[in-house]
Amino acid sequence: METMEDYKEELDASFRRINEGDIISGTVIDVSEEEVTLDLKYYAQGVIKVSELSSDPDFVAAQQIHPGDVLEATVVKTDDGQGNILLSRKEANEVLAWEKLQQMLDEKTTVKVRIKESVKSGVIAWLEGIRGFIPASQIALDYVEDTAPWIGKEIDVRVITVDRQKEKLVLSGKVAREAEAGERRHRISMIVPGTVMEGTVESLMPYGAFVSLGDGLSGLVHVSQISERRIGRPSDVLKVGQKVKAKVLNTNDNKISLSMKALSEETVDTEGAGDLA
């Protein structure tokens, strides 16, 4: 037997009123070269023209928007002449993006951006559809004299200035790198020498093997600490991608020094002690 609950969505839609200037959300049901269509749970569908999706020059609707995505947009017209509600995501973004950027600033969030162009004294990158400036002194840990080679590169940044009134957004790769380095120093400081760790060989050099230990950390097994027997180069006994165990020798200078040889020696000593017993 049908109840009022069966018609809840239809009833809600019939009482709902959408006005020009409202910011509403809808679920993407279709993406074409000209427009994106949204289900607004209303008697009319929402339409966003491609030109009204983003101010970011690198934005490509077909690549970045898919059916099922939920978008927020501003109502431009309640009837576009074809019975649809005309929307603008760009207009909504002018309000919502600044709120998100302020939250990123408050929470010290690290995000990845792609550098779009080089300008006087820095570079430009887009974040949340807003044009952001990265000063040359803030691109990396050291001052960047020539910014042109950075165009097209992706870097981690933090928001350091948000001024909606002046439409000013300043980002910093340097602050993100310093924060990452600080977190890394803390993680390394928590490692106790003598601890046995398991990791994956990530690269082989003439002087040793770098082992990924997870959590963004890696350590070096010097060639003299790989095996009890003398080897010419690390590749004689190790392969990239190989799982290994090693003992932490020290964490001096914020670097993790490892030894596989120490584990082999401990095994021999243990076996020898067993034989004596």
Side-chain angles (χ1 to χ4, degrees), residues 21-24 55 72-74 88-103 128-130 162 164 167:
D22 289 351
I23 295 179
I24 59 177
S55 299
E72 292 178 294
T74 298
S88 172
R89 191 176 180 224
K90 279 168 58 172
E91 285 191 25
N93 199 56
E94 288 298 314
V95 177
L96 301 173
W98 289 105
E99 294 175 359
K100 291 179 183 177
L101 294 169
Q102 184 63 50
Q103 184 177 4
E128 294 295 331
I130 302 296
V162 175
R164 182 178 172 185
E167 296 188 348

Side-chain angles (χ1 to χ4, degrees), residues 125-249:
W126 292 78
L127 180 59
E128 294 295 331
I130 302 296
R131 187 176 188 268
F133 175 61
I134 308 176
S137 62
Q138 296 294 321
I139 297 173
L141 290 174
D142 298 320
Y143 185 88
V144 175
E145 291 284 351
D146 184 8
T147 58
W150 288 79
I151 297 174
K153 288 187 176 181
E154 285 192 345
I155 64 170
D156 288 332
V157 299
R158 284 196 176 181
V159 176
I160 58 173
T161 301
V162 175
D163 190 332
R164 182 178 172 185
Q165 296 296 325
K166 296 180 180 179
E167 296 188 348
K168 182 180 180 182
L169 171 63
V170 183
L171 310 172
S172 173
K174 180 178 181 178
V175 171
R177 290 286 296 277
E178 288 175 340
E180 180 185 354
E183 292 167 2
R184 185 175 186 277
R185 282 194 297 271
H186 175 69
R187 291 196 295 270
I188 290 177
S189 71
M190 300 300 288
I191 297 174
V192 179
T195 302
V196 176
M197 304 188 75
E198 186 171 351
T200 305
V201 177
E202 59 182 359
S203 64
L204 297 173
M205 306 297 289
Y207 53 83
F210 284 96
V211 178
S212 172
L213 302 171
D215 201 22
L217 299 180
S218 62
L220 172 66
V221 185
H222 189 269
V223 64
S224 64
Q225 295 296 321
I226 291 176
S227 174
E228 289 182 290
R229 64 184 176 86
R230 187 179 181 84
I231 59 173
R233 50 180 183 247
S235 57
D236 289 342
V237 293
L238 295 174
K239 295 180 181 178
V240 172
Q242 182 178 339
K243 298 284 186 182
V244 297
K245 286 185 178 180
K247 176 183 277 192
V248 178
L249 295 180

